[in-house]
């Protein structure tokens, strides 16, 4: 565990372009994403070290792994993860883990996008890894990033906003020292009790679950060999005496458990008790055996369903838990936080680089808040069907009564599929109502937490494809916008000629864009069939802004996607850079004629 020295007051700068309050996963990811776009930032984080005994999130889904892949960090995280994907990919509901009464009730295969080998829907599959390990990987990356300054031992106390001017951030340490920092942009990634959110005058709306839970991290030398069920990343024990979850933290002797459905006061008491009613007894009742249990840490908690009515204003924004808190069922909370950071990073970079339009930053909350609301709804629904809800004394019985009870439980547990097989929630969200996309009249596929329908409908995530056994279509995406054109539709015309209007518009407006011909996929599918159009304009966050065939329409869409106004209604404030004007030549005339022939 790496420990960073507390920063001295002199280490805090007087000015910063971007100041990020909070150095958890979303804050560190945001800083690294900004750095990948050439934008420096300062991260202020109270903790000087990461506590490995508070694993919290353990599921890094395929979308988040792809964001990490984009930053070159996916392999680093997989190498650091104590459980390789090959170890187990399933979630098993059972009556116990050991002995003849350990009956498997239902198993969900390839849960959390855990798929060994090449994954189809994204460049990366999911990864089970404790949040502290992820944070260590991100801190190590930050240490190697010249554009990121991580200052530990300090916290943001207050943000004073000034209309049209940089905000003033007051940072404080435990000794009572305070430092004022002015910042063009301030991002509150400082958790559920966010000081940045309080400065904005925003309160989270929502409620909490009726019962609490207690997380227990423990060591056991004997538990692994005592389990009589096949390996799983999570075992959900359905019992009358104890109900909850248990799983390996690593391939050695470290485990985690969550006892579900505990009275809040009882959870607090059990967490601090060394008696028979304490955490040791809870673990033994859960696993169904008198194995050795050495408790490392306990953490009572209550699931909360909270959402901010707004995500910021005047250059001050909220990401992650500062903007939303949702139950952990399905493992979506931390992943939604990373999605916030990925959406905001390119927009702040565009604003600071001068090519982002006046509507760009306002789109952040418009796009991300509905995603959080949907995620909270799904997690809350899953929280109404926890292990203890299926408990029945007959489940452990022998004979016909036990058989009937287990069959009934197997059928009833089908309701849990969306918690573990949630690709529709992970990849199926879309920004169809965003002012940064150009609708084409096609409906976005209906929201379904389980079923993911790849679609290039504007606002949706770019459908993934493998171009050869090792090359993802996502590898063609640049740091800015990318215009992907189906190679078969272009014929012999170079993409730079066919879509010259896009490049010309990008040059005039200073918007970074890459144009690339692509396809077919390695199974022979033309990209036009996958996209439903000859070309797609892809945003820096891998969502589709436009699709079609007209080069002129693509050029107009580029301005819309950068925040400069509706298609066909260019903003008077659109950026303009002097373009090299040359008299038209016969080659230009011939090129434009060929473009019109290929791209009607």
């Amino acid at each position: 565990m790496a420990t960073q020295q507390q920063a001295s007051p002199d280490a805090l700068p007087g000015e910063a372009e971007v100041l990020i309050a909070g150095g958890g996963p979303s804050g560190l990811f945001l800083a690294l994403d900004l750095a990948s776009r050439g934008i420096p930032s300062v991260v202020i984080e109270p903790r000087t070290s990461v506590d490995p005994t508070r694993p919290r999130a353990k599921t890094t889904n395929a979308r988040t792994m792809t964001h990490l892949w984009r930053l070159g960090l996916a392999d680093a995280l997989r190498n650091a993860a104590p459980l390789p994907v090959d170890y187990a990919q399933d979630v098993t509901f059972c009556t116990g883990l050991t002995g003849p009464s350990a009956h498997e009730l239902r198993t969900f295969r390839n849960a959390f996008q855990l798929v060994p080998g090449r994954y189809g829907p994204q460049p990366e599959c999911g990864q089970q890894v404790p949040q502290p390990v992820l944070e260590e990987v991100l801190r190590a990356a930050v240490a190697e990033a010249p554009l990121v300054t991580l200052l530990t031992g300090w916290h943001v106390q207050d943000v004073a906003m000034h209309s049209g001017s940089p905000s003033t951030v007051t940072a404080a340490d435990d000794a009572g020292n305070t430092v004022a920092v002015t910042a063009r942009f301030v991002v509150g990634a400082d958790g559920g009790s966010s000081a940045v959110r309080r400065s904005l005058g925003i309160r989270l709306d929502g409620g909490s679950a009726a019962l609490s839970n207690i997380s227990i991290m423990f060591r056991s030398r004997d538990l692994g060999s005592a389990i009589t069920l096949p390996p799983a990343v999570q075992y959900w024990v359905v019992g009358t005496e104890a109900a909850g979850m248990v799983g390996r933290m690593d391939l050695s002797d470290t485990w985690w458990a969550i006892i579900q459905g505990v009275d809040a006061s009882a959870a607090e008491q059990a967490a601090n008790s060394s008696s028979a009613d304490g955490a040791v007894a809870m673990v033994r009742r859960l696993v169904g055996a008198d194995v050795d249990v050495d408790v490392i840490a306990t953490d009572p908690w209550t699931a909360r369903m909270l959402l901010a009515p707004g995500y910021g204003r005047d250059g001050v924004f909220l990401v992650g838990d500062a903007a939303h808190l949702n139950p952990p069922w399905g493992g979506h909370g931390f992943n939604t936080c990373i999605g916030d950071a990925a959406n905001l990073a390119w927009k702040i970079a565009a604003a600071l680089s001068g090519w982002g339009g006046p509507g760009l930053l306002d789109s952040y909350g418009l796009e991300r808040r509905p995603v959080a609301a949907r995620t909270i709804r799904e997690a809350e629904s899953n929280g109404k069907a926890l292990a203890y809800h299926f408990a029945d004394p007959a489940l452990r019985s022998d004979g016909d009564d036990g058989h009937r009870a287990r069959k009934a439980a197997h059928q009833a547990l089908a309701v849990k599929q969306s918690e573990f097989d949630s690709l529709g929630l992970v990849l199926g969200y879309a920004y169809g109502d965003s002012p940064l996309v150009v609708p084409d009249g096609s409906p976005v596929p209906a929201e379904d937490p389980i079923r993911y329908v790849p679609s290039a409908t504007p606002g949706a995530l770019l459908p993934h494809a493998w171009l050869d056994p090792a090359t993802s279509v996502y590898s063609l995406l640049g740091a800015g916008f990318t215009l992907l054109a189906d190679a078969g539709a272009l014929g012999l015309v170079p993409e730079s000629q066919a879509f010259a209007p896009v490049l010309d518009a990008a040059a005039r407006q200073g918007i970074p864009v890459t144009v690339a011909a692509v396809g077919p996929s390695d199974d022979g599918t033309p990209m036009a069939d996958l996209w439903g159009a000859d070309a797609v304009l892809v945003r820096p966050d891998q969502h589709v802004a436009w699709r079609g065939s007209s080069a002129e329409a693509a050029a107009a869409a580029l301005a819309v996607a950068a925040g400069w106004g509706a298609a066909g209604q260019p903003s008077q404030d659109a950026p303009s850079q002097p373009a090299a004007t040359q008299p038209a030549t016969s080659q230009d005339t011939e090129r434009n004629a060929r473009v019109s022939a290929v791209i009607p």
Side-chain angles (χ1 to χ4, degrees), residues 1-4 22-29 32 43 45-58 60 64 68 73 76-77 80-82 129-143 150 152 189 321 334 338:
M1 179 182 66
T3 299
Q4 292 178 289
S26 55
L28 294 178
F29 181 91
L32 290 166
V43 183
E45 165 57 39
R47 298 168 300 157
T48 57
S49 62
V50 176
D51 184 356
T53 69
R54 295 290 186 270
R56 302 289 175 136
K58 305 173 195 68
T60 303
T64 297
L68 294 170
L73 296 175
L77 183 61
V129 56
Q131 181 174 319
V133 175
L134 169 71
E135 290 194 46
E136 293 284 12
V137 169
L138 293 177
R139 284 196 176 203
V142 161
L150 173 61
T152 61
D321 288 352
F334 136 75
I338 297 297

Short mmCIF file of all heavy atoms in Angstrom, two decimals, residues 1-4 22-29 32 43 45-58 60 64 68 73 76-77 80-82 129-143 150 152 189 321 334 338:
data_model
loop_
_atom_site.label_atom_id
_atom_site.label_comp_id
_atom_site.label_asym_id
_atom_site.label_seq_id
_atom_site.Cartn_x
_atom_site.Cartn_y
_atom_site.Cartn_z
N MET A 1 0.85 -1.19 0.00
CA MET A 1 0.00 0.00 0.00
C MET A 1 0.88 1.24 0.00
O MET A 1 1.69 1.45 0.89
CB MET A 1 -0.90 0.01 1.22
CG MET A 1 -1.81 1.24 1.31
SD MET A 1 -2.83 1.23 2.81
CE MET A 1 -1.56 1.39 4.08
N ALA A 2 0.71 2.05 -1.03
CA ALA A 2 1.51 3.26 -1.15
C ALA A 2 0.93 4.37 -0.30
O ALA A 2 -0.28 4.56 -0.24
CB ALA A 2 1.58 3.71 -2.61
N THR A 3 1.80 5.09 0.40
CA THR A 3 1.38 6.24 1.21
C THR A 3 2.07 7.48 0.66
O THR A 3 3.28 7.47 0.43
CB THR A 3 1.75 6.03 2.68
OG1 THR A 3 1.09 4.88 3.18
CG2 THR A 3 1.32 7.24 3.50
N GLN A 4 1.28 8.53 0.43
CA GLN A 4 1.84 9.76 -0.08
C GLN A 4 1.89 10.78 1.04
O GLN A 4 0.98 10.89 1.87
CB GLN A 4 0.98 10.28 -1.24
CG GLN A 4 1.08 9.36 -2.47
CD GLN A 4 0.19 9.86 -3.58
OE1 GLN A 4 -1.02 9.77 -3.48
NE2 GLN A 4 0.78 10.35 -4.64
N GLY A 22 -11.39 15.69 -4.54
CA GLY A 22 -11.61 14.26 -4.35
C GLY A 22 -10.75 13.43 -5.28
O GLY A 22 -10.84 13.57 -6.50
N GLY A 23 -9.92 12.57 -4.68
CA GLY A 23 -9.04 11.71 -5.44
C GLY A 23 -9.43 10.26 -5.37
O GLY A 23 -8.56 9.38 -5.28
N GLY A 24 -10.73 10.00 -5.37
CA GLY A 24 -11.21 8.62 -5.51
C GLY A 24 -11.20 8.22 -6.97
O GLY A 24 -10.59 8.90 -7.81
N PRO A 25 -11.88 7.13 -7.34
CA PRO A 25 -11.83 6.66 -8.73
C PRO A 25 -12.27 7.69 -9.75
O PRO A 25 -11.59 7.90 -10.76
CB PRO A 25 -12.76 5.44 -8.71
CG PRO A 25 -12.70 4.94 -7.31
CD PRO A 25 -12.58 6.17 -6.46
N SER A 26 -13.40 8.37 -9.50
CA SER A 26 -13.88 9.30 -10.52
C SER A 26 -12.98 10.53 -10.63
O SER A 26 -12.73 11.03 -11.74
CB SER A 26 -15.33 9.72 -10.23
OG SER A 26 -15.46 10.24 -8.94
N GLY A 27 -12.48 11.04 -9.51
CA GLY A 27 -11.60 12.20 -9.57
C GLY A 27 -10.28 11.91 -10.26
O GLY A 27 -9.81 12.70 -11.08
N LEU A 28 -9.68 10.77 -9.92
CA LEU A 28 -8.40 10.41 -10.55
C LEU A 28 -8.59 10.09 -12.02
O LEU A 28 -7.76 10.48 -12.86
CB LEU A 28 -7.79 9.20 -9.82
CG LEU A 28 -7.35 9.45 -8.38
CD1 LEU A 28 -6.80 8.16 -7.78
CD2 LEU A 28 -6.31 10.56 -8.29
N PHE A 29 -9.68 9.38 -12.36
CA PHE A 29 -9.92 9.09 -13.77
C PHE A 29 -10.11 10.37 -14.56
O PHE A 29 -9.58 10.53 -15.66
CB PHE A 29 -11.14 8.18 -13.93
CG PHE A 29 -11.42 7.83 -15.37
CD1 PHE A 29 -10.86 6.70 -15.93
CD2 PHE A 29 -12.20 8.66 -16.17
CE1 PHE A 29 -11.09 6.39 -17.27
CE2 PHE A 29 -12.43 8.36 -17.50
CZ PHE A 29 -11.88 7.22 -18.05
N LEU A 32 -6.79 12.00 -15.24
CA LEU A 32 -6.02 11.28 -16.25
C LEU A 32 -6.62 11.46 -17.64
O LEU A 32 -5.88 11.57 -18.63
CB LEU A 32 -5.94 9.80 -15.89
CG LEU A 32 -5.07 9.47 -14.67
CD1 LEU A 32 -5.33 8.05 -14.20
CD2 LEU A 32 -3.59 9.67 -14.99
N VAL A 43 -5.62 17.80 -8.19
CA VAL A 43 -6.55 16.96 -7.44
C VAL A 43 -6.24 17.11 -5.96
O VAL A 43 -5.09 16.92 -5.53
CB VAL A 43 -6.43 15.47 -7.84
CG1 VAL A 43 -7.45 14.63 -7.08
CG2 VAL A 43 -6.59 15.30 -9.35
N GLU A 45 -7.10 15.68 -2.26
CA GLU A 45 -7.65 14.45 -1.67
C GLU A 45 -7.26 14.36 -0.19
O GLU A 45 -6.08 14.45 0.15
CB GLU A 45 -7.11 13.23 -2.42
CG GLU A 45 -7.27 11.89 -1.74
CD GLU A 45 -8.71 11.55 -1.39
OE1 GLU A 45 -9.62 11.86 -2.22
OE2 GLU A 45 -8.93 11.01 -0.31
N PRO A 46 -8.24 14.18 0.71
CA PRO A 46 -7.91 14.12 2.15
C PRO A 46 -7.04 12.93 2.53
O PRO A 46 -6.20 13.05 3.43
CB PRO A 46 -9.29 14.02 2.82
CG PRO A 46 -10.26 14.52 1.81
CD PRO A 46 -9.68 14.17 0.47
N ARG A 47 -7.21 11.78 1.88
CA ARG A 47 -6.49 10.58 2.30
C ARG A 47 -5.06 10.58 1.75
O ARG A 47 -4.85 10.77 0.55
CB ARG A 47 -7.21 9.33 1.80
CG ARG A 47 -8.63 9.13 2.32
CD ARG A 47 -9.32 8.04 1.53
NE ARG A 47 -9.39 8.37 0.12
CZ ARG A 47 -9.52 7.48 -0.86
NH1 ARG A 47 -9.60 6.19 -0.58
NH2 ARG A 47 -9.59 7.88 -2.12
N THR A 48 -4.11 10.33 2.62
CA THR A 48 -2.73 10.18 2.15
C THR A 48 -2.46 8.77 1.65
O THR A 48 -1.50 8.55 0.92
CB THR A 48 -1.74 10.52 3.27
OG1 THR A 48 -1.99 9.68 4.40
CG2 THR A 48 -1.87 11.99 3.68
N SER A 49 -3.31 7.82 2.02
CA SER A 49 -3.13 6.44 1.56
C SER A 49 -4.49 5.82 1.31
O SER A 49 -5.53 6.32 1.76
CB SER A 49 -2.35 5.62 2.59
OG SER A 49 -3.06 5.54 3.81
N VAL A 50 -4.47 4.72 0.58
CA VAL A 50 -5.69 3.98 0.27
C VAL A 50 -5.83 2.84 1.27
O VAL A 50 -4.88 2.09 1.50
CB VAL A 50 -5.63 3.42 -1.18
CG1 VAL A 50 -6.86 2.57 -1.47
CG2 VAL A 50 -5.51 4.56 -2.18
N ASP A 51 -6.99 2.72 1.86
CA ASP A 51 -7.23 1.69 2.87
C ASP A 51 -7.64 0.38 2.20
O ASP A 51 -8.74 0.30 1.64
CB ASP A 51 -8.33 2.15 3.83
CG ASP A 51 -8.57 1.17 4.97
OD1 ASP A 51 -7.94 0.10 4.98
OD2 ASP A 51 -9.40 1.49 5.85
N PRO A 52 -6.82 -0.66 2.24
CA PRO A 52 -7.16 -1.92 1.55
C PRO A 52 -8.23 -2.72 2.26
O PRO A 52 -8.72 -3.71 1.71
CB PRO A 52 -5.82 -2.68 1.54
CG PRO A 52 -5.09 -2.17 2.73
CD PRO A 52 -5.49 -0.73 2.88
N THR A 53 -8.60 -2.34 3.49
CA THR A 53 -9.60 -3.10 4.24
C THR A 53 -11.02 -2.62 3.97
O THR A 53 -11.96 -3.12 4.58
CB THR A 53 -9.32 -3.02 5.75
OG1 THR A 53 -9.56 -1.69 6.22
CG2 THR A 53 -7.89 -3.43 6.06
N ARG A 54 -11.17 -1.67 3.08
CA ARG A 54 -12.50 -1.18 2.71
C ARG A 54 -12.68 -1.40 1.21
O ARG A 54 -12.55 -0.46 0.42
CB ARG A 54 -12.66 0.30 3.06
CG ARG A 54 -12.61 0.61 4.55
CD ARG A 54 -13.87 0.08 5.25
NE ARG A 54 -13.94 0.49 6.65
CZ ARG A 54 -13.43 -0.21 7.66
NH1 ARG A 54 -12.80 -1.34 7.41
NH2 ARG A 54 -13.56 0.21 8.91
N PRO A 55 -12.97 -2.62 0.80
CA PRO A 55 -13.00 -2.90 -0.64
C PRO A 55 -14.13 -2.21 -1.39
O PRO A 55 -14.01 -1.91 -2.56
CB PRO A 55 -13.16 -4.43 -0.69
CG PRO A 55 -13.70 -4.82 0.62
CD PRO A 55 -13.16 -3.83 1.61
N ARG A 56 -15.26 -1.97 -0.70
CA ARG A 56 -16.39 -1.28 -1.34
C ARG A 56 -16.69 -1.92 -2.70
O ARG A 56 -17.04 -3.07 -2.78
CB ARG A 56 -16.10 0.22 -1.46
CG ARG A 56 -15.81 0.91 -0.14
CD ARG A 56 -17.05 1.03 0.73
NE ARG A 56 -16.77 1.57 2.03
CZ ARG A 56 -17.50 2.51 2.62
NH1 ARG A 56 -18.57 2.99 2.01
NH2 ARG A 56 -17.18 2.93 3.83
N ALA A 57 -16.56 -1.14 -3.78
CA ALA A 57 -16.88 -1.68 -5.11
C ALA A 57 -15.90 -2.79 -5.48
O ALA A 57 -14.71 -2.72 -5.17
CB ALA A 57 -16.82 -0.56 -6.15
N LYS A 58 -16.42 -3.79 -6.16
CA LYS A 58 -15.56 -4.90 -6.62
C LYS A 58 -15.76 -5.21 -8.09
O LYS A 58 -15.04 -6.04 -8.65
CB LYS A 58 -15.86 -6.17 -5.79
CG LYS A 58 -15.72 -5.98 -4.29
CD LYS A 58 -16.19 -7.22 -3.55
CE LYS A 58 -16.41 -6.91 -2.08
NZ LYS A 58 -17.55 -5.99 -1.86
N THR A 60 -15.74 -3.98 -11.89
CA THR A 60 -15.39 -3.03 -12.94
C THR A 60 -15.97 -3.58 -14.24
O THR A 60 -15.49 -4.59 -14.75
CB THR A 60 -13.87 -2.83 -13.05
OG1 THR A 60 -13.37 -2.40 -11.78
CG2 THR A 60 -13.52 -1.80 -14.10
N THR A 64 -16.44 0.41 -18.22
CA THR A 64 -15.36 1.07 -17.49
C THR A 64 -14.01 0.52 -17.91
O THR A 64 -13.04 1.27 -18.05
CB THR A 64 -15.57 0.91 -15.98
OG1 THR A 64 -16.79 1.57 -15.60
CG2 THR A 64 -14.43 1.53 -15.19
N LEU A 68 -10.78 2.56 -19.36
CA LEU A 68 -9.40 2.38 -18.89
C LEU A 68 -8.50 1.95 -20.03
O LEU A 68 -7.33 2.37 -20.12
CB LEU A 68 -9.37 1.36 -17.75
CG LEU A 68 -10.06 1.81 -16.46
CD1 LEU A 68 -10.19 0.63 -15.50
CD2 LEU A 68 -9.31 2.94 -15.78
N LEU A 73 -4.74 1.77 -19.45
CA LEU A 73 -4.63 1.27 -18.08
C LEU A 73 -5.33 -0.06 -17.86
O LEU A 73 -5.30 -0.59 -16.74
CB LEU A 73 -5.21 2.31 -17.11
CG LEU A 73 -4.47 3.64 -17.03
CD1 LEU A 73 -5.23 4.61 -16.12
CD2 LEU A 73 -3.05 3.45 -16.53
N ALA A 76 -2.87 -2.83 -16.85
CA ALA A 76 -2.32 -2.58 -15.51
C ALA A 76 -3.31 -3.01 -14.44
O ALA A 76 -2.92 -3.60 -13.42
CB ALA A 76 -1.97 -1.10 -15.35
N LEU A 77 -4.58 -2.73 -14.66
CA LEU A 77 -5.58 -3.13 -13.66
C LEU A 77 -5.74 -4.64 -13.62
O LEU A 77 -5.81 -5.24 -12.55
CB LEU A 77 -6.92 -2.46 -13.95
CG LEU A 77 -8.01 -2.76 -12.91
CD1 LEU A 77 -7.60 -2.26 -11.54
CD2 LEU A 77 -9.34 -2.14 -13.32
N ALA A 80 -2.97 -6.19 -11.74
CA ALA A 80 -3.02 -5.92 -10.31
C ALA A 80 -4.17 -6.64 -9.62
O ALA A 80 -4.16 -6.81 -8.39
CB ALA A 80 -3.15 -4.42 -10.06
N ALA A 81 -5.18 -7.06 -10.39
CA ALA A 81 -6.37 -7.67 -9.81
C ALA A 81 -6.02 -9.01 -9.17
O ALA A 81 -5.39 -9.85 -9.79
CB ALA A 81 -7.44 -7.87 -10.88
N PRO A 82 -6.43 -9.23 -7.92
CA PRO A 82 -6.10 -10.49 -7.25
C PRO A 82 -6.88 -11.69 -7.76
O PRO A 82 -6.48 -12.83 -7.53
CB PRO A 82 -6.45 -10.21 -5.78
CG PRO A 82 -7.39 -9.07 -5.80
CD PRO A 82 -7.07 -8.27 -7.01
N VAL A 129 -12.39 -6.71 -9.18
CA VAL A 129 -11.21 -6.15 -8.53
C VAL A 129 -11.68 -5.20 -7.43
O VAL A 129 -12.57 -4.38 -7.65
CB VAL A 129 -10.30 -5.42 -9.55
CG1 VAL A 129 -11.04 -4.33 -10.29
CG2 VAL A 129 -9.06 -4.87 -8.87
N PRO A 130 -11.12 -5.30 -6.22
CA PRO A 130 -11.52 -4.38 -5.14
C PRO A 130 -11.18 -2.94 -5.49
O PRO A 130 -10.15 -2.66 -6.12
CB PRO A 130 -10.70 -4.87 -3.94
CG PRO A 130 -10.29 -6.26 -4.28
CD PRO A 130 -10.13 -6.29 -5.76
N GLN A 131 -12.03 -2.03 -5.07
CA GLN A 131 -11.81 -0.61 -5.38
C GLN A 131 -10.45 -0.10 -4.92
O GLN A 131 -9.82 0.69 -5.64
CB GLN A 131 -12.93 0.23 -4.76
CG GLN A 131 -12.80 1.71 -5.05
CD GLN A 131 -14.00 2.50 -4.56
OE1 GLN A 131 -15.14 2.08 -4.69
NE2 GLN A 131 -13.73 3.67 -3.97
N PRO A 132 -9.92 -0.50 -3.74
CA PRO A 132 -8.60 0.00 -3.36
C PRO A 132 -7.50 -0.37 -4.36
O PRO A 132 -6.57 0.42 -4.57
CB PRO A 132 -8.34 -0.66 -1.99
CG PRO A 132 -9.70 -0.92 -1.44
CD PRO A 132 -10.54 -1.27 -2.63
N VAL A 133 -7.61 -1.53 -4.98
CA VAL A 133 -6.62 -1.92 -5.99
C VAL A 133 -6.72 -1.00 -7.19
O VAL A 133 -5.71 -0.53 -7.74
CB VAL A 133 -6.81 -3.39 -6.40
CG1 VAL A 133 -5.87 -3.77 -7.54
CG2 VAL A 133 -6.60 -4.32 -5.21
N LEU A 134 -7.95 -0.72 -7.62
CA LEU A 134 -8.15 0.22 -8.72
C LEU A 134 -7.56 1.58 -8.38
O LEU A 134 -6.88 2.21 -9.21
CB LEU A 134 -9.64 0.35 -9.03
CG LEU A 134 -10.02 1.48 -9.98
CD1 LEU A 134 -9.56 1.17 -11.40
CD2 LEU A 134 -11.51 1.74 -9.96
N GLU A 135 -7.81 2.06 -7.18
CA GLU A 135 -7.29 3.37 -6.80
C GLU A 135 -5.77 3.39 -6.79
O GLU A 135 -5.16 4.40 -7.18
CB GLU A 135 -7.84 3.78 -5.43
CG GLU A 135 -9.32 4.10 -5.44
CD GLU A 135 -9.77 4.81 -4.17
OE1 GLU A 135 -9.09 5.75 -3.75
OE2 GLU A 135 -10.80 4.41 -3.60
N GLU A 136 -5.15 2.31 -6.36
CA GLU A 136 -3.69 2.26 -6.39
C GLU A 136 -3.17 2.32 -7.82
O GLU A 136 -2.16 2.99 -8.11
CB GLU A 136 -3.19 0.99 -5.70
CG GLU A 136 -3.45 0.93 -4.20
CD GLU A 136 -2.49 1.82 -3.39
OE1 GLU A 136 -1.78 2.65 -3.99
OE2 GLU A 136 -2.47 1.67 -2.16
N VAL A 137 -3.85 1.64 -8.74
CA VAL A 137 -3.45 1.69 -10.15
C VAL A 137 -3.59 3.10 -10.68
O VAL A 137 -2.71 3.61 -11.40
CB VAL A 137 -4.29 0.69 -10.97
CG1 VAL A 137 -4.08 0.91 -12.48
CG2 VAL A 137 -3.92 -0.75 -10.61
N LEU A 138 -4.69 3.77 -10.34
CA LEU A 138 -4.88 5.14 -10.81
C LEU A 138 -3.88 6.09 -10.18
O LEU A 138 -3.35 6.99 -10.86
CB LEU A 138 -6.31 5.59 -10.50
CG LEU A 138 -7.43 4.87 -11.26
CD1 LEU A 138 -8.79 5.38 -10.80
CD2 LEU A 138 -7.29 5.05 -12.76
N ARG A 139 -3.57 5.91 -8.90
CA ARG A 139 -2.56 6.77 -8.26
C ARG A 139 -1.19 6.57 -8.89
O ARG A 139 -0.44 7.54 -9.08
CB ARG A 139 -2.50 6.48 -6.76
CG ARG A 139 -3.64 7.07 -5.95
CD ARG A 139 -3.34 7.09 -4.47
NE ARG A 139 -4.40 7.74 -3.69
CZ ARG A 139 -4.23 8.29 -2.50
NH1 ARG A 139 -3.04 8.28 -1.92
NH2 ARG A 139 -5.24 8.85 -1.86
N ALA A 140 -0.87 5.34 -9.24
CA ALA A 140 0.42 5.08 -9.89
C ALA A 140 0.47 5.77 -11.25
O ALA A 140 1.50 6.33 -11.64
CB ALA A 140 0.64 3.58 -10.03
N ALA A 141 -0.65 5.74 -11.98
CA ALA A 141 -0.70 6.41 -13.28
C ALA A 141 -0.58 7.92 -13.12
O ALA A 141 0.10 8.60 -13.91
CB ALA A 141 -1.99 6.05 -14.00
N VAL A 142 -1.22 8.45 -12.09
CA VAL A 142 -1.15 9.90 -11.82
C VAL A 142 0.29 10.30 -11.51
O VAL A 142 0.77 11.37 -11.94
CB VAL A 142 -2.09 10.27 -10.66
CG1 VAL A 142 -1.72 11.61 -10.05
CG2 VAL A 142 -3.53 10.28 -11.14
N ALA A 143 1.01 9.46 -10.76
CA ALA A 143 2.40 9.76 -10.42
C ALA A 143 3.28 9.88 -11.66
O ALA A 143 4.32 10.55 -11.64
CB ALA A 143 2.95 8.69 -9.47
N LEU A 150 -1.45 15.63 -7.73
CA LEU A 150 -2.27 15.07 -6.66
C LEU A 150 -1.73 15.56 -5.33
O LEU A 150 -0.57 15.28 -4.98
CB LEU A 150 -2.26 13.53 -6.72
CG LEU A 150 -2.93 12.79 -5.55
CD1 LEU A 150 -4.41 13.16 -5.46
CD2 LEU A 150 -2.75 11.29 -5.71
N THR A 152 -2.37 15.35 -1.40
CA THR A 152 -3.09 14.61 -0.37
C THR A 152 -3.00 15.32 0.98
O THR A 152 -2.12 16.15 1.22
CB THR A 152 -2.54 13.18 -0.25
OG1 THR A 152 -1.16 13.23 0.13
CG2 THR A 152 -2.68 12.43 -1.56
N ALA A 189 -15.70 15.79 -6.93
CA ALA A 189 -15.68 14.33 -6.92
C ALA A 189 -15.45 13.88 -5.48
O ALA A 189 -14.73 12.92 -5.22
CB ALA A 189 -14.56 13.82 -7.84
N ASP A 321 -20.30 10.04 -6.77
CA ASP A 321 -21.15 10.01 -5.58
C ASP A 321 -21.57 11.41 -5.12
O ASP A 321 -22.54 11.54 -4.37
CB ASP A 321 -20.42 9.30 -4.43
CG ASP A 321 -20.32 7.81 -4.64
OD1 ASP A 321 -20.95 7.30 -5.60
OD2 ASP A 321 -19.61 7.14 -3.87
N PHE A 334 -19.94 2.61 -8.84
CA PHE A 334 -18.64 3.15 -9.20
C PHE A 334 -18.51 3.30 -10.72
O PHE A 334 -17.92 4.25 -11.23
CB PHE A 334 -17.54 2.26 -8.61
CG PHE A 334 -16.40 1.95 -9.53
CD1 PHE A 334 -15.44 2.90 -9.80
CD2 PHE A 334 -16.28 0.71 -10.13
CE1 PHE A 334 -14.38 2.63 -10.66
CE2 PHE A 334 -15.23 0.42 -10.97
CZ PHE A 334 -14.28 1.38 -11.25
N ILE A 338 -17.46 6.63 -13.14
CA ILE A 338 -16.46 6.74 -14.20
C ILE A 338 -17.10 7.25 -15.48
O ILE A 338 -16.51 8.05 -16.23
CB ILE A 338 -15.78 5.37 -14.44
CG1 ILE A 338 -15.02 4.93 -13.18
CG2 ILE A 338 -14.84 5.45 -15.64
CD1 ILE A 338 -13.88 5.83 -12.78
#
